[in-house]
Amino acid sequence: MKTYFQYPFLIGMIFLFAFLIYLYVRWYTKLSKYDKVRFRKFWGTKKVWKAIYDSINDGLLHASIFKKNPVLGYMHMSLAFGWFLLIVIGHLEVVVATGGLNFPFYYAIFFRYFEPVHATTIAKIFAAVMDFLLLFILVGVALAITKRFYKKIFGMKHTTKLKPLDKVALYSLWAIFPLRLFAESCSAAVYQNGSFLTNTTGAWLGNIANSPVIYQGSWWLYSFALCFFFIALPFSRYMHIPTEIYYIFLRNAGIKTKKTWESYAQIQLYSCSRCGVCLDACQLYDAGISDVQSVYFLQFIRNKEDAEKPLFGCLICGRCQVECPVHLNLNDLRTALRIKASKPLTFSYSYTQKPEQQSADTIYFAGCMTHLTPGTKKSMAKIFDYVGEKVWFMDEDKSICCGRPLMLAGQYDSAAQLIEKNTELIKESGAKNLILSCPYCYKVFKEDYILPDINIKFHANYIKELIDQKKLPDSKLNITAIYHDPCELGRGMNIYQEPRDVIEHYSHRIPLQKSKDKDQALCCGAGLGGINLTGDAKNAMTHNAMTYFDKFNPDVLVTACPLCKKTFVSDRRIEVLDIAELVVKAIEQPNELKALPHREKSYAIS
Amino acid sequence: MKKIAVIGGGVAGLEVSKQLLEANIPVTLIEQSSKIGGNIKNYAYLFPDFYNAEELLNSYHYLITDPNLQLLLNTEVAKIDFSKKTYNILTKDGISVPADAIVIATGYNTFDARLKEEFGYGIYENVITSVQLEQMFKNKEIKTPSGKIPERIGFIHCVGSRDAKVGNTYCSRLCCVTAIKQAIETKKFLPSAEIFCFYIDLRMYGLLFEDLYLSAQRDYNIQFVRGRLSEASEMLDKRILIKVEDTLIGKPLQMSADMIVLMVGMEASDFSKQFKYHNGLEVNEHGFFNPINPHNLRNLTSKDGIFLAGTAIGPMSVGETLDHARGTALSVLSFINAN
Ligand SMILES: Cc1cc2nc3c(=O)[nH]c(=O)nc-3n(C[C@H](O)[C@H](O)[C@H](O)COP(=O)(O)OP(=O)(O)OC[C@H]3O[C@@H](n4cnc5c(N)ncnc54)[C@H](O)[C@@H]3O)c2cc1C
Ligand code: SF4
Ligand code: SF4
Ligand code: SF4
Ligand code: SF4
């Protein structure tokens, strides 16, 4: 008998495949020359196995979401992995039943229709497995529907907003599996070819299923649901499923996000699953801002809407990036887009006054922000003095900015001019070491300057080296300290341990909870990235972070970033020190117990 | 007889006490430091007429011997227990003072200039505050710590005021005229010194203040530069290099000075700031006590029998403080009569 109901499915499927192939090829051709080589070479290497592992782990099993939120993880896993198994085992079932590979590829999808009667034991086992998988997925679908209406059950504060095509895809996805259940139940009612699930539901249907309209209709509906889903998929959030796998392979090939917005960035844009995990990570929520978070920002860009606000209204603190289960480079994506979205500044930096060239083994570059915290500057000078290090304080009175603030504002070309000037000065000095006390400077010197012969060190690491070399004394202060990981240093440059070692060497460090420490550390609220943020929002973040620290009742709050320091100081509740100042305090006054200048007196009130 | 307590022995607290004692009402005056007088005991001469601050304070000294005054010095009030009809003032040392009416005259703190780290106070020895300069006037000697007579002095306005970065967005009102007063006094001390004032705008709100400003320019050759200090750094010879954007000519300006004086603003006292975090009394976003309204109920709080006097409600000059304190004394008297 000739059937036609498979055509909607076929049309959808062919459209989807054609579209995906077109996109995959287009994205590939738009990769840079070097990235193409990287990607081609990658296939011969062991990294492929890692990519396959990651694809299964993240793409199918959604292990990262699982770890963060088991219910949400089950939901994603049942849909992705469950459906995957349903397809694979479904095809296996057909191979076993027909004894060969000679069947159209849609055959397995509608197998219960085409091969209605099977009485062998093997067929029964297959039927049971397939029923189980269907049930597994249906529970996931039920969870997904519940989540849309009662997001609290999932322990999430926020869910994402939907666009019309997202809705088509979403509702057809919700419909696919209940409709499959319905169609297979009809078959089961007529032919008793199902198992524990479809036989039971088939029995409920009883005679209704015998009506050809209902029977045929149920398979038509199922096919249409698939068709709608496949056609809507490339234009909906579900595009992340095929894109994520592609992204995983490119990522494992060692491709990095660029400063310019290009193909790899575009692929990441489409890889966002809109799981919403980034929403809960963002402290701006508690400051009353709920439309700049990464998921919205990516959505705005995909929908080509005006993204000015989410693009420039975020701190680029990176808390969400750490949490993102798809491992998107959210900070880099924002920076690249800012560069793309900014009109280049037209003024020239020729007016900058170069400091007098000097030669030296070691250079100290304070940066414009350390100039605003002269306590740190002076402490560094004292440390250099103490250990007898001869240092050229490169930007002591005439200074050229490192360029990072401009870069964060999207002004890449202007930044490049400054980078060039500093590079020249550093190279001509013949220095071997460059020491920095601002994490923003440190990041840009490490990542954007080309200084191959120079050892670029962050001051905390430099101090740690001096301690290890026994050049600095062991004189522990009798004070308790909390260490605040600056965003740019921790999440930005992966430096966590050295500052802790230094602090523990000179004071008693109070550890924070894991959820607010290291890569999950709170942002102070003043990150240079927060270009369009209001003062109120920043203050609210600072206040919330300080309220958290204050609970531990520390004598001092130690940080390693001039910006964090200045920000936290304004709250007044805890004395704030840069790590270099702590060290100098310990060297100079080992016996002084507590000196708390900024601390606001607290009174217990009834 | 109703028990009346006044917290804070600055001019506000002294004036309220004086008025009540004159009406034969016994008063307990509680002061945390070892002397009465509050902030002005650190100042030499007062604007707008260079009146001697010590003389003003001496006019209150006779109160100390008044048998109706119970003066508790070195006694810091920690909290007030509002739970009973007769309130209970609890001090840091555990003393409790019952009172039917309490006047809060805890005044202000000057801004801790170390918080504005880029100006280098506490880091560079030639950066001082306006309060330290007053001390120099009292000692009749203006010198840098290394004993040098300063030849060029910069007065930096708005330190810790009108500055969201340190959390204070309000204007402290008195520091502009104080800067001019101090600039003139400095010039009288050191006639050959060059004196600069760096300001955002000049807030000469009082009747005679503008005259003082004119006289500073005309008679004392004090130079006014409109621009906010962005940062100060120390030069090898310990002089201070200041970077300012001169907003009148629109150019960045660098200048060295032998000494810079930070015009520190007025902040709420610790006693009032605590109410930002604890319930009990209403304070505004800046931490100063909030009277019921700023017009006709400027001395009252929403708690019956709790009154406010002086700079505890916000920056005021001495004269304004005393007027306010007299108003508070009247409110206390009518409270006593009504009960
Ligand atoms: C630099 C500077 C210069 C100034 N120069 C002038 C001038 O020239 N002319 C002029 O008119 N005005 C001047 N002023 C303003 C003047 O200082 C005030 O108007 C005046 O001091 C206000 O007095 P007060 O009693 O309200 O507060 P305060 O003087 O602050 O007195 C408050 C008192 O309460 C005490 N206290 C606080 N908390 C507690 C507690 N918990 N327990 C017990 N006691 C407590 C304090 O120790 C203090 O003694 C100047 C201000 C500044 C900052
Ligand atoms: S950016 Fe990452 S965390 Fe946020 S919704 Fe997309 S995939 Fe989820
Ligand atoms: S980078 Fe920070 S501020 Fe920006 S969206 Fe992510 S968590 Fe929020
Ligand atoms: S971060 Fe540091 S502040 Fe700054 S010089 Fe580099 S930048 Fe300019
Ligand atoms: S009075 Fe003058 S110096 Fe003081 S805060 Fe206001 S504007 Fe600034």
Side-chain angles (χ1 to χ4, degrees), chain A residues 218-266:
Chain A
S218 68
W219 287 100
W220 272 98
L221 280 175
Y222 172 46
S223 179
F224 263 116
L226 288 167
C227 170
F228 281 138
F229 179 64
F230 291 152
I231 290 181
L233 185 142
F235 314 104
S236 75
R237 54 188 288 198
Y238 295 100
M239 186 57 198
H240 79 88
I241 303 167
T243 320
E244 186 185 345
I245 308 288
Y246 198 38
Y247 170 58
I248 289 172
F249 279 83
L250 290 172
R251 189 178 73 211
N252 277 294
I255 293 174
K256 297 257 156 15
T257 318
K258 312 287 180 304
K259 295 279 185 264
T260 48
W261 185 262
E262 37 73 79
S263 188
Y264 187 57
Q266 193 79 8

Side-chain angles (χ1 to χ4, degrees), chain B residues 225-298:
Chain B
V225 180
R226 180 165 162 176
R228 186 162 210 161
L229 180 63
S230 61
E231 68 188 70
S233 52
E234 193 176 55
M235 306 198 293
L236 275 179
D237 57 4
K238 305 267 175 199
R239 280 185 304 149
I240 304 297
L241 183 73
I242 50 186
K243 292 185 184 162
V244 198
E245 166 90 17
D246 185 328
T247 52
L248 285 184
I249 52 174
K251 274 207 184 117
L253 180 137
Q254 278 200 8
M255 182 191 276
S256 59
D258 298 301
M259 181 190 267
I260 63 171
V261 183
L262 307 180
M263 302 311 299
V264 286
M266 294 166 84
E267 285 194 338
S269 65
D270 292 330
F271 183 72
S272 76
K273 268 193 197 163
Q274 66 174 310
F275 293 102
K276 282 202 288 192
Y277 309 106
H278 304 289
N279 293 331
L281 289 168
E282 244 178 76
V283 294
N284 58 32
E285 57 185 305
H286 309 301
F288 288 100
F289 284 107
N290 241 357
I292 294 180
N293 77 33
H295 313 286
N296 62 340
L297 302 173
R298 236 162 104 79

Side-chain angles (χ1 to χ4, degrees), chain A residues 408-545:
Chain A
L408 282 169
Q411 299 297 342
Y412 192 66
D413 292 340
S414 303
Q417 291 183 44
L418 303 180
I419 289 177
E420 202 187 299
K421 289 189 190 213
N422 282 324
T423 305
E424 222 169 88
L425 280 165
I426 294 168
K427 281 194 168 158
E428 293 212 344
S429 73
K432 295 187 194 72
N433 301 304
L434 170 62
I435 296 162
L436 304 152
S437 49
C438 167
Y440 283 88
C441 301
Y442 180 62
K443 193 173 168 74
V444 75
F445 273 106
K446 275 289 224 197
E447 294 181 353
D448 297 282
Y449 279 66
I450 303 169
L451 294 166
D453 304 323
I454 291 165
N455 206 341
I456 302 171
K457 287 181 203 164
F458 189 62
H459 73 331
N461 297 42
Y462 170 73
I463 293 169
K464 163 80 172 125
E465 275 176 30
L466 295 176
I467 293 173
D468 290 346
Q469 297 162 358
K470 305 255 176 259
K471 289 187 181 162
L472 286 174
D474 308 323
S475 45
K476 214 174 181 109
L477 292 166
N478 193 13
I479 55 174
T480 55
I482 279 183
Y483 175 57
H484 164 76
D485 285 290
C487 303
E488 289 280 304
L489 190 66
R491 285 185 286 266
M493 294 307 292
N494 234 332
I495 292 183
Y496 295 109
Q497 200 47 50
E498 290 84 351
R500 285 177 167 72
D501 291 344
V502 173
I503 292 168
E504 282 162 17
H505 190 81
Y506 288 117
S507 67
H508 304 276
R509 191 172 73 83
I510 307 172
L512 300 177
Q513 288 159 290
K514 200 176 157 289
S515 66
K516 303 269 190 309
D517 203 23
K518 298 200 169 167
D519 62 355
Q520 300 184 61
L522 295 169
C523 173
C524 67
L528 280 185
I531 292 178
N532 278 4
L533 272 184
T534 61
D536 283 354
K538 291 180 178 179
N539 290 344
M541 280 179 68
T542 312
H543 179 86
N544 291 348

Side-chain angles (χ1 to χ4, degrees), chain A residues 310-334:
Chain A
L311 187 53
F312 288 95
C314 130
L315 291 150
I316 317 207
C317 73
R319 273 194 116 220
C320 54
Q321 172 167 317
V322 170
E323 301 290 316
C324 173
V326 186
H327 309 292
L328 300 177
N329 294 321
L330 296 166
N331 279 1
D332 289 344
L333 288 179
R334 276 203 215 243

